[in-house]
Amino acid sequence: METTSIQRIVDIYRKLSRIPTPVKGFLTPTSSTVLKVNVINSQRDLERSEKVKSLRNFVFTLDRFEILAANSPVEITSEQLRTDTKNGNKTVVLRMIKLNKTEEKQFLEIWEESEKIINLDLKALDIHGKVYEDSVFGGLRWSPDEKKIVYVAEKKKPSTESFFKTKSASSKETPDVTPGNEYVYTEDWGESLVGKSHPVPFILDVESGSVKAVENIPDDVSFGQPIWTPEHNILCVGHWQEPRRLGIIYCTNRRCGLFHLLLNENKYEIIGSSDKNVDSPRFSHDGSLLVYLERVAGGPHHQGAKLMMCKWATKEIQVLVDLINFPEGDGFPGIYTVHLPDRIWSSDNNFVVFSSVWRSSEELICINVTTRKLSKLISKRGNYSSTLLDFFDDVILATISTPQSPPVIGRFSNPQKEINWIPLWKENNIPNIAWKVLKLNPTVKTVHPKYPNLQYEAIYIHPIIQTGDFFPLIVWPHGGPHSAYLSSFNLFAAIFAELGFSTLLVNYRGSVGFGEDSIDSLLGNIGVNDVYDCQNAVQTLASEVSFKNIMLYGGSHGGFLSAQLIGQFPDFYKACVCRNPVIDITTKVGISDIPDWNWVECGLEFQFTSLPSIDQLKLMLEKSPITYIDQVKTPVLLAIGKADLRVPPSQGYLFHHALKARNKKVKMCTYDDNHALSKVDVEADSFVNAILWFLNHLNKYKEKK
């Protein structure tokens, strides 16, 4: 490979990291023939070291889908949440203003046409803590009559002060202040939700500007995802806080229920089961039907969901789409999505449409709620991954992309026909990149006796070869382990390709999108089946393409697998980069925000009272990469988040110190960031360091076909 200068790496990173990603879109009718599209994009700003958001509006005709007008993007980074009324004449905005480096304020604004008619300083109101904007608990919803707004905020904590606070002679006693509670430990919901402990719903009366908490709700429940019912009551997802809060981000297995809050009666009822995980309640337009996702509570952190339907008048509940244990061929594998979009119902209330992981892709699926018939919406464009953003007035708004095509917004009408996507802006494909999906069978050694017919896949992304030269390969197993790589745009794979690297993204057995049997097959088999699936994928590809330089790149469970692979196959890989890897399960079991992961993935039953026995610790150690530390020969670069609660930084420190003590080549970068290492400056620095690590350990020749 030719010498690659640091400046060229930086230039390519800067160019491609500017590509905007659509994160939200919503449709608003302006007349019977014209529809407005609002699109919110997220983009990395390297100079400001932050992700900025912009809003862009389009107006198009409904009959021929011709764009009549499109404005330039307007930055809205300070907006945390934004919701329009159904007809688009009013907008409520939750805004965060940074006053200085340490102080910030939230404001709740209501806009009517071009006028801001309400602006509430939420901190000055002093009735709750911060308003939640995250995907787990956050929500900002107009009531059906547009007179009220419901949102979720941290329950106000009792005031406290030091036992030894000096008071003036004229100061009066403050009965609502309890001395000595300054240092009492308060649980929160873990990684990425630090400081978020007890969310409860609040209601803003638009006419009076008053805010009040919803009353007579259980105090041991954290509420989120509020929506209004047809009767102007509130439906929330409620997570039980006892016996303790476990990390909830990326974990769809936490016990919760659907709480129907009857405002005028000051009481509540639970809709459906109280021992499952539920998510994303969505009413039909006429309010007669409610659909929501339901999963098993406990077990693997992410698994398939049932789509449940409730006849609202009678509260009769039925399964609309069930779990799929083993899909036939490339057939429907079950529902694998974390949340549903806000609007998924057709105008006649007969269909719901949303996107779900389907093997190594994300597909739009349409379900007839009467016949329960499910179909995949087929695109005339071919093999694109599609993510639904909005479905309104029978118009679909979605992002579409491939590994070589950055995401664009497409629109389409009538979900019962083949889709011919019409992009809202020019598509800018990354030149000289090709990709394909490999279908793979596990090795005979690791065929699961209970699930012998499972397959898995890997996505191979590579520069287009014109001279016959083949490029170095980066093997990239995903984290989780119950997640998946998709055949959608991947910024870092595109940058790797621009720099001459191929990547192999492995969806080993246990990945989502392949049925429940695949997920269950990995439990108790981490460190073996997932490791051999990755190695088999590499060797299968290497039988077709000659690679002399093969490297590893992975984070979290992908870092676990990378560390396993260099230990179990010590002469195979030229270099390895691990981001916040799991190294020793025995030392992680009591300090992670998800202690159940350690038990479940090792094939053990988790209880909140669980303490590992000697035999269980031995089993956990046997499944850990640290077991193979003496066999490691591959140079290792570690990227560690010092604020990581999911895989504490002590895991990375342990690996670094153990390798260094054995005179192995190792380097570690530590960052003031959490598990995802997703701060813009951290992400950029860790990625450029990874590229340099790979370049420095390449064989000094070009690889030939």
Side-chain angles (χ1 to χ4, degrees), residues 10 23 27 138 213 216 259 289 296 303 324 344 365 369 394 415 481 525 541 543 553 557 600 604 617 641 646 653 680:
V10 170
V23 293
L27 301 157
N216 294 314
F259 283 75
L289 299 172
V296 173
Q303 49 199 305
I324 302 294
I344 61 173
I365 59 176
V369 299
D394 295 338
N525 293 300
L541 180 61
S543 67
Y553 183 74
H557 192 79
V600 171
L604 303 170
L617 286 171
R646 185 65 35 104
Y653 301 158
V680 169

Side-chain angles (χ1 to χ4, degrees), residues 126-184:
D126 196 30
I127 58 174
H128 55 62
K130 283 188 177 180
V131 177
Y132 283 53
E133 84 295 345
D134 59 87
S135 61
V136 178
F137 296 108
L140 190 63
R141 300 278 189 158
W142 289 92
S143 62
D145 61 6
E146 301 179 6
K147 293 182 178 180
K148 294 180 180 179
I149 293 167
V150 63
Y151 63 91
V152 172
E154 182 72 15
K155 184 177 181 180
K156 185 178 179 182
K157 294 180 174 61
S159 299
T160 185
E161 63 187 20
S162 169
F163 287 121
F164 304 97
K165 181 179 179 180
T166 302
K167 300 179 181 180
S168 66
S170 60
S171 64
K172 296 181 180 180
E173 291 294 326
T174 49
D176 58 338
V177 175
T178 303
N181 285 342
E182 294 171 281
Y183 306 107
V184 174

Side-chain angles (χ1 to χ4, degrees), residues 64 236 243 268 402 512 559:
R64 288 189 284 182
C236 281
Y268 68 90
T402 71
V512 300

Side-chain angles (χ1 to χ4, degrees), residues 28-314:
T28 306
T30 59
S31 71
S32 60
T33 59
V34 177
L35 199 63
K36 184 173 75 171
V37 180
N38 299 307
V39 178
I40 296 177
N41 285 320
S42 175
Q43 180 180 336
R44 295 165 177 84
D45 189 321
L46 293 173
E47 285 69 32
R48 286 163 51 178
S49 294
E50 66 175 326
K51 289 183 180 178
V52 298
K53 291 189 296 184
S54 62
L55 174 67
R56 194 175 184 194
N57 300 319
F58 302 83
V59 178
F60 64 91
T61 60
L62 277 170
D63 52 356
R64 288 189 284 182
F65 288 99
E66 294 178 345
I67 295 179
L68 301 177
N71 73 339
S72 298
V74 177
E75 184 178 337
I76 58 167
T77 303
S78 63
E79 292 186 9
Q80 294 182 300
L81 293 174
R82 160 188 284 256
T83 306
D84 289 347
T85 54
K86 187 176 180 180
N87 61 12
N89 65 337
K90 293 179 183 177
T91 301
V92 57
V93 172
L94 174 67
R95 191 181 304 278
M96 176 69 80
I97 300 296
K98 294 183 179 179
L99 304 178
N100 50 53
K101 289 184 178 181
T102 60
E103 189 179 3
E104 53 191 15
K105 272 189 177 184
Q106 286 180 309
F107 294 86
L108 201 60
E109 308 169 351
I110 296 180
W111 293 79
E112 186 170 8
E113 296 181 351
S114 59
E115 181 183 358
K116 187 193 296 186
I117 60 173
I118 291 179
N119 188 16
L120 294 178
D121 182 340
L122 296 175
K123 187 174 183 179
L125 289 180
D126 196 30
I127 58 174
H128 55 62
K130 283 188 177 180
V131 177
Y132 283 53
E133 84 295 345
D134 59 87
S135 61
V136 178
F137 296 108
L140 190 63
R141 300 278 189 158
W142 289 92
S143 62
D145 61 6
E146 301 179 6
K147 293 182 178 180
K148 294 180 180 179
I149 293 167
V150 63
Y151 63 91
V152 172
E154 182 72 15
K155 184 177 181 180
K156 185 178 179 182
K157 294 180 174 61
S159 299
T160 185
E161 63 187 20
S162 169
F163 287 121
F164 304 97
K165 181 179 179 180
T166 302
K167 300 179 181 180
S168 66
S170 60
S171 64
K172 296 181 180 180
E173 291 294 326
T174 49
D176 58 338
V177 175
T178 303
N181 285 342
E182 294 171 281
Y183 306 107
V184 174
Y185 172 68
T186 300
E187 281 183 356
D188 58 28
W189 287 102
E191 177 69 28
S192 298
L193 297 172
V194 173
K196 295 183 175 181
S197 176
H198 196 170
V200 293
F202 290 82
I203 296 174
L204 164 66
D205 186 300
V206 176
E207 294 181 355
S208 67
S210 62
V211 176
K212 66 176 184 178
V214 176
E215 298 176 342
N216 294 314
I217 56 177
D219 198 47
D220 61 345
V221 174
S222 286
F223 290 93
Q225 302 182 35
I227 63 171
W228 292 91
T229 71
E231 305 84 10
H232 295 211
N233 291 313
I234 292 173
L235 194 64
C236 281
V237 174
H239 287 264
W240 277 275
Q241 298 165 175
E242 301 299 333
R244 63 162 286 192
R245 297 167 180 82
L246 296 176
I248 201 171
I249 197 79
Y250 316 128
C251 300
T252 60
N253 65 337
R254 302 303 183 216
R255 177 176 169 252
C256 52
L258 279 181
F259 283 75
H260 183 204
L261 310 180
L262 300 154
L263 302 179
N264 293 331
E265 301 175 50
N266 284 328
K267 67 178 185 178
Y268 68 90
E269 62 181 352
I270 296 177
I271 305 298
S273 174
S274 61
D275 62 351
K276 303 288 186 182
N277 172 274
V278 297
D279 200 276
S280 307
R282 303 290 183 259
F283 276 105
S284 59
H285 296 293
D286 63 4
S288 64
L289 299 172
L290 173 77
V291 295
Y292 59 92
L293 300 174
E294 180 185 277
R295 302 179 181 89
V296 173
H301 278 170
H302 189 36
Q303 49 199 305
K306 296 179 181 180
L307 185 66
M308 310 298 289
M309 185 170 71
C310 173
K311 294 181 180 179
W312 190 244
T314 63

